[in-house]
Amino acid sequence: MSKLIRSRWFQGLVAFAVIAVMAPAAGYAVTDEEIFRDFRFNLSNPGARSLGLGGAFIAVSDDATAALSNPAGLMNLQRPEFFTEIRDTQADSSSIEQTLFGGSEAIRSDTLPNAVFSPSFISYVYPTKRWAVGVSRLELNKADNNTQSAFLIQFDPNLPTATIGGMGSIRTDLSVWNVTGAVKILDKLSFGATVAFGFLNLQSHVNNSITDPTDPNNPEPRTIYETMIDDSDTDVAFNAGLQWKPLETLSFGAVYRGGLNFTVAETIYNDQFLGGPPTLSQFFGSPLDTTFNTPDSYGAGVAWQPMPALTVSGDWVHIKYKDLLNGFQAGLGILSFTDKNANFTIDDADEAHIGAEYVFTAGSVPIAARVGGYTDHNSRIFADFKNGGFTSFANNNSFPERSSTTHFTAGTGVVVQGKFQIDAAAN
C-alpha cells in the first residue's frame, strides 16, 4: 500500500506541474528547454589574424575579413583578395547540480557540446581606388549539443530514487551570405555597408520522462511529453562601418552589426501521460512558433603604429544579448513547468579586446607574431526570481548565469611568394 501511495503522490506531483502552467502566454520564442541552455554565437571577428590580436580588429580591418569586422576596411585592400578560414571549435561542457529539501532530493543538468570543425568564413573582395565590393559567407552558429536534466526524489532512504528528467539533442546550421560595398568619402575617411542574408536549419528533439522504481507496475521510464523541431527559415540584416585615418600611424573605426530573427515550428506530442483536456499540445497550440534571434552589436576601435613593424589595437564591443529574450517562453522545460511564473533573463554585455602584432623578416619572407586577449561575459539565459526562496525547480541555482572569462590568444602569419598569406591562431 505504501508503494502505491508514493507512486500516486509522484504522479500527482507531475500533474500539478502541468496544471501550474495552464495560464495565458504573451507569445512564444526560444524556450527554457535544456537544448537552448548554452548557445554560443560566433560573434568574434573572422580570421586567424584577428583572433591572434584578441579580436581587436575594428580599426585595423585591412583584409577580406573586413566585410564582417568593419565593412569600411575594404578600402584598405590594394588588389583583389580571396580569403578562407577553417576553425576548430570545442565549446565547454557544463554541469549543474544542487540538493533540495535537506539533501534528500537533487537537481542535475548537463550540456555536452560536440566539437565542430568547418570552414567558418569565405570571402572575395574586388577593390578600386574609390570603391570596393565583396561577397562572403559566415557560419554564425554551427552546433551539435546533447543535454539532459533530472530532478531526483527519494521518498524513503531504503527505496530506489525516483526521477523526472529530460534528454535532448539539438543541431543548428546558421550561415550568413554577405554582399558588401565600401566607398572612400574623403581621403582619410571610408564608409562601408553589408547586406546579410541568413539561412537557419534547426533540428532538435527532447524526451521528458518519469521513472518511478517504487511502482511495481511501471518501473520503466514513461514519457510525459516530447518536443521536436525540424525546420528552416531565412532573414535579412544590415551591417555598417566607418574607418578614419587622421594619421598614417593612427586609425579609428566604428561598426554596427544587425541581428537576425528566425521563426521555426516546434511540435509537442506524445503528451497523453496525464490525460486531458487540455494536454500540453492543446494548451500551447502545436505546432507553436519558436523564434530564434541573434543579438545586435556595435563597437569602436583604435589602432596605433608606434613603429612601422608594430601595431597595437583595442576594441570595445556592446552585445545586446537581451534580443534573445524577444518572445521568450517559459514552461516547456522539465525543470520549469512546475512554476508558471518562472522568470528568465539575460544581460547585455560590454567586451574589451586588445592585441599587438610585430612583423619581422626571415631572409626576404615577412613573418608576423601576434598576441591578444579579450573578455567574454555571460551569454546564457538564466533564472531570476525577485521574491527569493524556493519557487520552482527552475530556480537561480538550476539555471545560473555563465561565469565571465578572460581569453588569451596568440598567432602567427607568413607571406609566401608575395601573393599568399597563411595565418594561424589559438584561443
Side-chain angles (χ1 to χ4, degrees), residues 345-381:
T345 189
I346 190 170
D347 296 325
D348 292 345
D350 291 289
E351 296 185 352
H353 301 253
I354 190 169
E357 176 185 70
Y358 185 77
V359 181
F360 59 95
T361 58
S364 60
V365 178
I367 299 176
R370 307 177 184 111
V371 293
Y374 66 96
T375 57
D376 180 15
H377 295 278
N378 171 53
S379 58
R380 174 192 291 162
I381 295 174

PDB file of all heavy atoms in Angstrom, residues 345-381:
ATOM      1  N   THR A 345      16.033  35.731 -17.587  1.00  0.00           N
ATOM      2  CA  THR A 345      16.566  36.989 -18.084  1.00  0.00           C
ATOM      3  C   THR A 345      17.965  36.763 -18.643  1.00  0.00           C
ATOM      4  O   THR A 345      18.515  35.663 -18.553  1.00  0.00           O
ATOM      5  CB  THR A 345      16.602  38.050 -16.957  1.00  0.00           C
ATOM      6  OG1 THR A 345      16.928  39.320 -17.514  1.00  0.00           O
ATOM      7  CG2 THR A 345      17.637  37.684 -15.901  1.00  0.00           C
ATOM      8  N   ILE A 346      18.534  37.810 -19.192  1.00  0.00           N
ATOM      9  CA  ILE A 346      19.917  37.798 -19.680  1.00  0.00           C
ATOM     10  C   ILE A 346      20.376  39.239 -19.733  1.00  0.00           C
ATOM     11  O   ILE A 346      19.564  40.156 -19.916  1.00  0.00           O
ATOM     12  CB  ILE A 346      20.029  37.119 -21.066  1.00  0.00           C
ATOM     13  CG1 ILE A 346      21.490  36.886 -21.445  1.00  0.00           C
ATOM     14  CG2 ILE A 346      19.309  37.919 -22.133  1.00  0.00           C
ATOM     15  CD1 ILE A 346      21.670  36.019 -22.683  1.00  0.00           C
ATOM     16  N   ASP A 347      21.649  39.458 -19.528  1.00  0.00           N
ATOM     17  CA  ASP A 347      22.196  40.806 -19.504  1.00  0.00           C
ATOM     18  C   ASP A 347      22.933  41.115 -20.797  1.00  0.00           C
ATOM     19  O   ASP A 347      23.610  40.244 -21.369  1.00  0.00           O
ATOM     20  CB  ASP A 347      23.169  40.974 -18.327  1.00  0.00           C
ATOM     21  CG  ASP A 347      22.483  40.818 -16.985  1.00  0.00           C
ATOM     22  OD1 ASP A 347      21.313  41.242 -16.879  1.00  0.00           O
ATOM     23  OD2 ASP A 347      23.113  40.281 -16.049  1.00  0.00           O
ATOM     24  N   ASP A 348      22.801  42.364 -21.257  1.00  0.00           N
ATOM     25  CA  ASP A 348      23.671  42.822 -22.331  1.00  0.00           C
ATOM     26  C   ASP A 348      25.116  42.812 -21.838  1.00  0.00           C
ATOM     27  O   ASP A 348      25.371  42.845 -20.628  1.00  0.00           O
ATOM     28  CB  ASP A 348      23.283  44.235 -22.781  1.00  0.00           C
ATOM     29  CG  ASP A 348      21.930  44.275 -23.473  1.00  0.00           C
ATOM     30  OD1 ASP A 348      21.425  43.196 -23.854  1.00  0.00           O
ATOM     31  OD2 ASP A 348      21.378  45.381 -23.627  1.00  0.00           O
ATOM     32  N   ALA A 349      26.056  42.780 -22.771  1.00  0.00           N
ATOM     33  CA  ALA A 349      27.463  42.654 -22.378  1.00  0.00           C
ATOM     34  C   ALA A 349      28.330  43.696 -23.065  1.00  0.00           C
ATOM     35  O   ALA A 349      28.079  44.074 -24.221  1.00  0.00           O
ATOM     36  CB  ALA A 349      27.982  41.260 -22.710  1.00  0.00           C
ATOM     37  N   ASP A 350      29.333  44.164 -22.348  1.00  0.00           N
ATOM     38  CA  ASP A 350      30.386  45.013 -22.905  1.00  0.00           C
ATOM     39  C   ASP A 350      31.680  44.226 -22.861  1.00  0.00           C
ATOM     40  O   ASP A 350      32.102  43.770 -21.788  1.00  0.00           O
ATOM     41  CB  ASP A 350      30.527  46.308 -22.099  1.00  0.00           C
ATOM     42  CG  ASP A 350      29.335  47.220 -22.268  1.00  0.00           C
ATOM     43  OD1 ASP A 350      29.182  47.788 -23.364  1.00  0.00           O
ATOM     44  OD2 ASP A 350      28.541  47.353 -21.306  1.00  0.00           O
ATOM     45  N   GLU A 351      32.298  44.076 -24.023  1.00  0.00           N
ATOM     46  CA  GLU A 351      33.530  43.303 -24.112  1.00  0.00           C
ATOM     47  C   GLU A 351      34.696  44.204 -24.503  1.00  0.00           C
ATOM     48  O   GLU A 351      34.542  45.130 -25.302  1.00  0.00           O
ATOM     49  CB  GLU A 351      33.390  42.179 -25.140  1.00  0.00           C
ATOM     50  CG  GLU A 351      32.339  41.141 -24.763  1.00  0.00           C
ATOM     51  CD  GLU A 351      32.294  39.975 -25.739  1.00  0.00           C
ATOM     52  OE1 GLU A 351      32.982  40.072 -26.786  1.00  0.00           O
ATOM     53  OE2 GLU A 351      31.598  38.997 -25.466  1.00  0.00           O
ATOM     54  N   ALA A 352      35.861  43.909 -23.948  1.00  0.00           N
ATOM     55  CA  ALA A 352      37.088  44.630 -24.271  1.00  0.00           C
ATOM     56  C   ALA A 352      38.038  43.683 -24.996  1.00  0.00           C
ATOM     57  O   ALA A 352      38.191  42.520 -24.604  1.00  0.00           O
ATOM     58  CB  ALA A 352      37.741  45.157 -23.000  1.00  0.00           C
ATOM     59  N   HIS A 353      38.643  44.164 -26.084  1.00  0.00           N
ATOM     60  CA  HIS A 353      39.599  43.385 -26.872  1.00  0.00           C
ATOM     61  C   HIS A 353      40.884  44.196 -27.015  1.00  0.00           C
ATOM     62  O   HIS A 353      40.840  45.414 -27.237  1.00  0.00           O
ATOM     63  CB  HIS A 353      39.048  43.085 -28.266  1.00  0.00           C
ATOM     64  CG  HIS A 353      37.756  42.320 -28.269  1.00  0.00           C
ATOM     65  ND1 HIS A 353      37.674  41.000 -28.625  1.00  0.00           N
ATOM     66  CD2 HIS A 353      36.491  42.709 -27.953  1.00  0.00           C
ATOM     67  CE1 HIS A 353      36.410  40.593 -28.527  1.00  0.00           C
ATOM     68  NE2 HIS A 353      35.671  41.621 -28.127  1.00  0.00           N
ATOM     69  N   ILE A 354      42.036  43.535 -26.931  1.00  0.00           N
ATOM     70  CA  ILE A 354      43.308  44.207 -27.108  1.00  0.00           C
ATOM     71  C   ILE A 354      44.285  43.253 -27.779  1.00  0.00           C
ATOM     72  O   ILE A 354      44.216  42.031 -27.568  1.00  0.00           O
ATOM     73  CB  ILE A 354      43.870  44.710 -25.761  1.00  0.00           C
ATOM     74  CG1 ILE A 354      45.078  45.612 -25.989  1.00  0.00           C
ATOM     75  CG2 ILE A 354      44.185  43.550 -24.822  1.00  0.00           C
ATOM     76  CD1 ILE A 354      45.532  46.351 -24.752  1.00  0.00           C
ATOM     77  N   GLY A 355      45.151  43.780 -28.637  1.00  0.00           N
ATOM     78  CA  GLY A 355      46.102  42.927 -29.330  1.00  0.00           C
ATOM     79  C   GLY A 355      47.299  43.696 -29.837  1.00  0.00           C
ATOM     80  O   GLY A 355      47.307  44.935 -29.899  1.00  0.00           O
ATOM     81  N   ALA A 356      48.344  42.964 -30.194  1.00  0.00           N
ATOM     82  CA  ALA A 356      49.562  43.562 -30.741  1.00  0.00           C
ATOM     83  C   ALA A 356      50.150  42.632 -31.791  1.00  0.00           C
ATOM     84  O   ALA A 356      50.069  41.399 -31.672  1.00  0.00           O
ATOM     85  CB  ALA A 356      50.581  43.840 -29.637  1.00  0.00           C
ATOM     86  N   GLU A 357      50.718  43.227 -32.837  1.00  0.00           N
ATOM     87  CA  GLU A 357      51.337  42.469 -33.926  1.00  0.00           C
ATOM     88  C   GLU A 357      52.713  43.051 -34.222  1.00  0.00           C
ATOM     89  O   GLU A 357      52.868  44.276 -34.355  1.00  0.00           O
ATOM     90  CB  GLU A 357      50.457  42.538 -35.175  1.00  0.00           C
ATOM     91  CG  GLU A 357      51.065  41.870 -36.403  1.00  0.00           C
ATOM     92  CD  GLU A 357      50.213  42.081 -37.636  1.00  0.00           C
ATOM     93  OE1 GLU A 357      50.164  43.238 -38.129  1.00  0.00           O
ATOM     94  OE2 GLU A 357      49.603  41.103 -38.094  1.00  0.00           O
ATOM     95  N   TYR A 358      53.711  42.171 -34.335  1.00  0.00           N
ATOM     96  CA  TYR A 358      55.074  42.599 -34.700  1.00  0.00           C
ATOM     97  C   TYR A 358      55.493  41.827 -35.942  1.00  0.00           C
ATOM     98  O   TYR A 358      55.400  40.593 -35.983  1.00  0.00           O
ATOM     99  CB  TYR A 358      56.053  42.342 -33.563  1.00  0.00           C
ATOM    100  CG  TYR A 358      57.434  42.862 -33.850  1.00  0.00           C
ATOM    101  CD1 TYR A 358      57.720  44.220 -33.748  1.00  0.00           C
ATOM    102  CD2 TYR A 358      58.446  41.990 -34.248  1.00  0.00           C
ATOM    103  CE1 TYR A 358      58.988  44.717 -34.028  1.00  0.00           C
ATOM    104  CE2 TYR A 358      59.718  42.468 -34.531  1.00  0.00           C
ATOM    105  CZ  TYR A 358      59.979  43.832 -34.427  1.00  0.00           C
ATOM    106  OH  TYR A 358      61.246  44.318 -34.716  1.00  0.00           O
ATOM    107  N   VAL A 359      55.943  42.541 -36.967  1.00  0.00           N
ATOM    108  CA  VAL A 359      56.327  41.938 -38.242  1.00  0.00           C
ATOM    109  C   VAL A 359      57.835  42.033 -38.412  1.00  0.00           C
ATOM    110  O   VAL A 359      58.420  43.110 -38.269  1.00  0.00           O
ATOM    111  CB  VAL A 359      55.619  42.633 -39.420  1.00  0.00           C
ATOM    112  CG1 VAL A 359      56.027  41.972 -40.736  1.00  0.00           C
ATOM    113  CG2 VAL A 359      54.103  42.569 -39.255  1.00  0.00           C
ATOM    114  N   PHE A 360      58.454  40.902 -38.716  1.00  0.00           N
ATOM    115  CA  PHE A 360      59.898  40.864 -38.984  1.00  0.00           C
ATOM    116  C   PHE A 360      60.126  40.013 -40.225  1.00  0.00           C
ATOM    117  O   PHE A 360      59.183  39.425 -40.779  1.00  0.00           O
ATOM    118  CB  PHE A 360      60.659  40.302 -37.783  1.00  0.00           C
ATOM    119  CG  PHE A 360      60.251  38.911 -37.386  1.00  0.00           C
ATOM    120  CD1 PHE A 360      60.950  37.798 -37.849  1.00  0.00           C
ATOM    121  CD2 PHE A 360      59.153  38.709 -36.557  1.00  0.00           C
ATOM    122  CE1 PHE A 360      60.563  36.521 -37.498  1.00  0.00           C
ATOM    123  CE2 PHE A 360      58.759  37.430 -36.198  1.00  0.00           C
ATOM    124  CZ  PHE A 360      59.471  36.337 -36.662  1.00  0.00           C
ATOM    125  N   THR A 361      61.341  39.954 -40.693  1.00  0.00           N
ATOM    126  CA  THR A 361      61.647  39.179 -41.897  1.00  0.00           C
ATOM    127  C   THR A 361      62.654  38.092 -41.586  1.00  0.00           C
ATOM    128  O   THR A 361      63.557  38.272 -40.765  1.00  0.00           O
ATOM    129  CB  THR A 361      62.202  40.076 -43.015  1.00  0.00           C
ATOM    130  OG1 THR A 361      63.367  40.748 -42.553  1.00  0.00           O
ATOM    131  CG2 THR A 361      61.154  41.093 -43.453  1.00  0.00           C
ATOM    132  N   ALA A 362      62.455  36.963 -42.226  1.00  0.00           N
ATOM    133  CA  ALA A 362      63.419  35.863 -42.193  1.00  0.00           C
ATOM    134  C   ALA A 362      63.952  35.734 -43.614  1.00  0.00           C
ATOM    135  O   ALA A 362      63.281  35.177 -44.478  1.00  0.00           O
ATOM    136  CB  ALA A 362      62.764  34.575 -41.729  1.00  0.00           C
ATOM    137  N   GLY A 363      65.107  36.336 -43.865  1.00  0.00           N
ATOM    138  CA  GLY A 363      65.556  36.487 -45.238  1.00  0.00           C
ATOM    139  C   GLY A 363      64.720  37.549 -45.905  1.00  0.00           C
ATOM    140  O   GLY A 363      64.703  38.706 -45.495  1.00  0.00           O
ATOM    141  N   SER A 364      63.968  37.155 -46.912  1.00  0.00           N
ATOM    142  CA  SER A 364      63.060  38.092 -47.587  1.00  0.00           C
ATOM    143  C   SER A 364      61.592  37.785 -47.297  1.00  0.00           C
ATOM    144  O   SER A 364      60.705  38.378 -47.904  1.00  0.00           O
ATOM    145  CB  SER A 364      63.293  38.038 -49.100  1.00  0.00           C
ATOM    146  OG  SER A 364      63.054  36.727 -49.592  1.00  0.00           O
ATOM    147  N   VAL A 365      61.340  36.851 -46.365  1.00  0.00           N
ATOM    148  CA  VAL A 365      59.965  36.420 -46.078  1.00  0.00           C
ATOM    149  C   VAL A 365      59.425  37.164 -44.861  1.00  0.00           C
ATOM    150  O   VAL A 365      59.976  37.057 -43.757  1.00  0.00           O
ATOM    151  CB  VAL A 365      59.912  34.906 -45.824  1.00  0.00           C
ATOM    152  CG1 VAL A 365      58.482  34.477 -45.484  1.00  0.00           C
ATOM    153  CG2 VAL A 365      60.423  34.147 -47.033  1.00  0.00           C
ATOM    154  N   PRO A 366      58.342  37.937 -45.003  1.00  0.00           N
ATOM    155  CA  PRO A 366      57.738  38.612 -43.846  1.00  0.00           C
ATOM    156  C   PRO A 366      57.009  37.611 -42.942  1.00  0.00           C
ATOM    157  O   PRO A 366      56.242  36.772 -43.419  1.00  0.00           O
ATOM    158  CB  PRO A 366      56.745  39.596 -44.478  1.00  0.00           C
ATOM    159  CG  PRO A 366      57.116  39.668 -45.921  1.00  0.00           C
ATOM    160  CD  PRO A 366      57.710  38.342 -46.263  1.00  0.00           C
ATOM    161  N   ILE A 367      57.252  37.727 -41.661  1.00  0.00           N
ATOM    162  CA  ILE A 367      56.614  36.862 -40.666  1.00  0.00           C
ATOM    163  C   ILE A 367      56.037  37.757 -39.563  1.00  0.00           C
ATOM    164  O   ILE A 367      56.666  38.720 -39.127  1.00  0.00           O
ATOM    165  CB  ILE A 367      57.610  35.852 -40.065  1.00  0.00           C
ATOM    166  CG1 ILE A 367      58.169  34.941 -41.157  1.00  0.00           C
ATOM    167  CG2 ILE A 367      56.931  35.012 -38.971  1.00  0.00           C
ATOM    168  CD1 ILE A 367      59.234  33.979 -40.672  1.00  0.00           C
ATOM    169  N   ALA A 368      54.834  37.445 -39.119  1.00  0.00           N
ATOM    170  CA  ALA A 368      54.173  38.220 -38.073  1.00  0.00           C
ATOM    171  C   ALA A 368      53.996  37.371 -36.819  1.00  0.00           C
ATOM    172  O   ALA A 368      53.692  36.183 -36.905  1.00  0.00           O
ATOM    173  CB  ALA A 368      52.818  38.722 -38.557  1.00  0.00           C
ATOM    174  N   ALA A 369      54.186  37.998 -35.675  1.00  0.00           N
ATOM    175  CA  ALA A 369      53.893  37.377 -34.381  1.00  0.00           C
ATOM    176  C   ALA A 369      52.816  38.216 -33.698  1.00  0.00           C
ATOM    177  O   ALA A 369      52.920  39.448 -33.661  1.00  0.00           O
ATOM    178  CB  ALA A 369      55.147  37.302 -33.520  1.00  0.00           C
ATOM    179  N   ARG A 370      51.799  37.564 -33.150  1.00  0.00           N
ATOM    180  CA  ARG A 370      50.651  38.285 -32.592  1.00  0.00           C
ATOM    181  C   ARG A 370      50.264  37.720 -31.226  1.00  0.00           C
ATOM    182  O   ARG A 370      50.337  36.509 -30.998  1.00  0.00           O
ATOM    183  CB  ARG A 370      49.441  38.183 -33.529  1.00  0.00           C
ATOM    184  CG  ARG A 370      49.748  38.600 -34.963  1.00  0.00           C
ATOM    185  CD  ARG A 370      48.553  38.411 -35.885  1.00  0.00           C
ATOM    186  NE  ARG A 370      48.925  38.741 -37.259  1.00  0.00           N
ATOM    187  CZ  ARG A 370      49.038  37.864 -38.253  1.00  0.00           C
ATOM    188  NH1 ARG A 370      48.767  36.585 -38.011  1.00  0.00           N
ATOM    189  NH2 ARG A 370      49.389  38.252 -39.452  1.00  0.00           N
ATOM    190  N   VAL A 371      49.817  38.603 -30.346  1.00  0.00           N
ATOM    191  CA  VAL A 371      49.268  38.209 -29.049  1.00  0.00           C
ATOM    192  C   VAL A 371      48.050  39.085 -28.774  1.00  0.00           C
ATOM    193  O   VAL A 371      47.942  40.199 -29.315  1.00  0.00           O
ATOM    194  CB  VAL A 371      50.291  38.351 -27.900  1.00  0.00           C
ATOM    195  CG1 VAL A 371      51.426  37.363 -28.066  1.00  0.00           C
ATOM    196  CG2 VAL A 371      50.808  39.780 -27.823  1.00  0.00           C
ATOM    197  N   GLY A 372      47.147  38.597 -27.953  1.00  0.00           N
ATOM    198  CA  GLY A 372      45.961  39.388 -27.639  1.00  0.00           C
ATOM    199  C   GLY A 372      45.177  38.796 -26.487  1.00  0.00           C
ATOM    200  O   GLY A 372      45.538  37.762 -25.916  1.00  0.00           O
ATOM    201  N   GLY A 373      44.098  39.466 -26.153  1.00  0.00           N
ATOM    202  CA  GLY A 373      43.212  38.991 -25.101  1.00  0.00           C
ATOM    203  C   GLY A 373      41.876  39.703 -25.181  1.00  0.00           C
ATOM    204  O   GLY A 373      41.771  40.784 -25.763  1.00  0.00           O
ATOM    205  N   TYR A 374      40.846  39.086 -24.618  1.00  0.00           N
ATOM    206  CA  TYR A 374      39.528  39.727 -24.606  1.00  0.00           C
ATOM    207  C   TYR A 374      38.685  39.160 -23.477  1.00  0.00           C
ATOM    208  O   TYR A 374      38.937  38.066 -22.976  1.00  0.00           O
ATOM    209  CB  TYR A 374      38.815  39.573 -25.947  1.00  0.00           C
ATOM    210  CG  TYR A 374      38.430  38.164 -26.342  1.00  0.00           C
ATOM    211  CD1 TYR A 374      37.147  37.675 -26.099  1.00  0.00           C
ATOM    212  CD2 TYR A 374      39.340  37.322 -26.988  1.00  0.00           C
ATOM    213  CE1 TYR A 374      36.790  36.393 -26.475  1.00  0.00           C
ATOM    214  CE2 TYR A 374      38.988  36.050 -27.370  1.00  0.00           C
ATOM    215  CZ  TYR A 374      37.711  35.582 -27.111  1.00  0.00           C
ATOM    216  OH  TYR A 374      37.357  34.312 -27.487  1.00  0.00           O
ATOM    217  N   THR A 375      37.683  39.935 -23.087  1.00  0.00           N
ATOM    218  CA  THR A 375      36.746  39.498 -22.053  1.00  0.00           C
ATOM    219  C   THR A 375      35.520  38.889 -22.713  1.00  0.00           C
ATOM    220  O   THR A 375      35.076  39.348 -23.755  1.00  0.00           O
ATOM    221  CB  THR A 375      36.322  40.673 -21.164  1.00  0.00           C
ATOM    222  OG1 THR A 375      35.749  41.711 -21.983  1.00  0.00           O
ATOM    223  CG2 THR A 375      37.517  41.234 -20.414  1.00  0.00           C
ATOM    224  N   ASP A 376      34.992  37.854 -22.100  1.00  0.00           N
ATOM    225  CA  ASP A 376      33.829  37.133 -22.622  1.00  0.00           C
ATOM    226  C   ASP A 376      32.822  37.020 -21.485  1.00  0.00           C
ATOM    227  O   ASP A 376      33.038  36.281 -20.524  1.00  0.00           O
ATOM    228  CB  ASP A 376      34.261  35.754 -23.114  1.00  0.00           C
ATOM    229  CG  ASP A 376      33.110  34.943 -23.669  1.00  0.00           C
ATOM    230  OD1 ASP A 376      32.045  35.524 -23.932  1.00  0.00           O
ATOM    231  OD2 ASP A 376      33.281  33.727 -23.841  1.00  0.00           O
ATOM    232  N   HIS A 377      31.731  37.776 -21.578  1.00  0.00           N
ATOM    233  CA  HIS A 377      30.777  37.870 -20.478  1.00  0.00           C
ATOM    234  C   HIS A 377      29.649  36.863 -20.622  1.00  0.00           C
ATOM    235  O   HIS A 377      29.522  36.175 -21.638  1.00  0.00           O
ATOM    236  CB  HIS A 377      30.228  39.296 -20.383  1.00  0.00           C
ATOM    237  CG  HIS A 377      31.268  40.310 -20.026  1.00  0.00           C
ATOM    238  ND1 HIS A 377      31.663  40.535 -18.727  1.00  0.00           N
ATOM    239  CD2 HIS A 377      32.021  41.135 -20.798  1.00  0.00           C
ATOM    240  CE1 HIS A 377      32.599  41.458 -18.709  1.00  0.00           C
ATOM    241  NE2 HIS A 377      32.832  41.849 -19.951  1.00  0.00           N
ATOM    242  N   ASN A 378      28.825  36.778 -19.587  1.00  0.00           N
ATOM    243  CA  ASN A 378      27.716  35.830 -19.562  1.00  0.00           C
ATOM    244  C   ASN A 378      26.818  35.997 -20.781  1.00  0.00           C
ATOM    245  O   ASN A 378      26.348  37.081 -21.079  1.00  0.00           O
ATOM    246  CB  ASN A 378      26.889  36.048 -18.295  1.00  0.00           C
ATOM    247  CG  ASN A 378      25.593  35.246 -18.313  1.00  0.00           C
ATOM    248  OD1 ASN A 378      25.614  34.045 -18.530  1.00  0.00           O
ATOM    249  ND2 ASN A 378      24.486  35.922 -18.098  1.00  0.00           N
ATOM    250  N   SER A 379      26.586  34.899 -21.495  1.00  0.00           N
ATOM    251  CA  SER A 379      25.674  34.929 -22.642  1.00  0.00           C
ATOM    252  C   SER A 379      24.633  33.825 -22.527  1.00  0.00           C
ATOM    253  O   SER A 379      24.129  33.337 -23.525  1.00  0.00           O
ATOM    254  CB  SER A 379      26.462  34.774 -23.945  1.00  0.00           C
ATOM    255  OG  SER A 379      27.201  33.566 -23.956  1.00  0.00           O
ATOM    256  N   ARG A 380      24.330  33.434 -21.303  1.00  0.00           N
ATOM    257  CA  ARG A 380      23.367  32.363 -21.048  1.00  0.00           C
ATOM    258  C   ARG A 380      22.099  32.950 -20.433  1.00  0.00           C
ATOM    259  O   ARG A 380      22.148  33.762 -19.516  1.00  0.00           O
ATOM    260  CB  ARG A 380      23.970  31.331 -20.096  1.00  0.00           C
ATOM    261  CG  ARG A 380      23.010  30.237 -19.654  1.00  0.00           C
ATOM    262  CD  ARG A 380      23.580  29.437 -18.500  1.00  0.00           C
ATOM    263  NE  ARG A 380      24.723  28.634 -18.921  1.00  0.00           N
ATOM    264  CZ  ARG A 380      25.609  28.116 -18.077  1.00  0.00           C
ATOM    265  NH1 ARG A 380      25.504  28.353 -16.787  1.00  0.00           N
ATOM    266  NH2 ARG A 380      26.610  27.391 -18.525  1.00  0.00           N
ATOM    267  N   ILE A 381      20.942  32.526 -20.947  1.00  0.00           N
ATOM    268  CA  ILE A 381      19.679  32.904 -20.330  1.00  0.00           C
ATOM    269  C   ILE A 381      19.576  32.192 -18.986  1.00  0.00           C
ATOM    270  O   ILE A 381      19.758  30.981 -18.899  1.00  0.00           O
ATOM    271  CB  ILE A 381      18.501  32.525 -21.246  1.00  0.00           C
ATOM    272  CG1 ILE A 381      18.575  33.343 -22.544  1.00  0.00           C
ATOM    273  CG2 ILE A 381      17.172  32.758 -20.551  1.00  0.00           C
ATOM    274  CD1 ILE A 381      17.550  32.943 -23.581  1.00  0.00           C
TER     275      ILE A 381
END
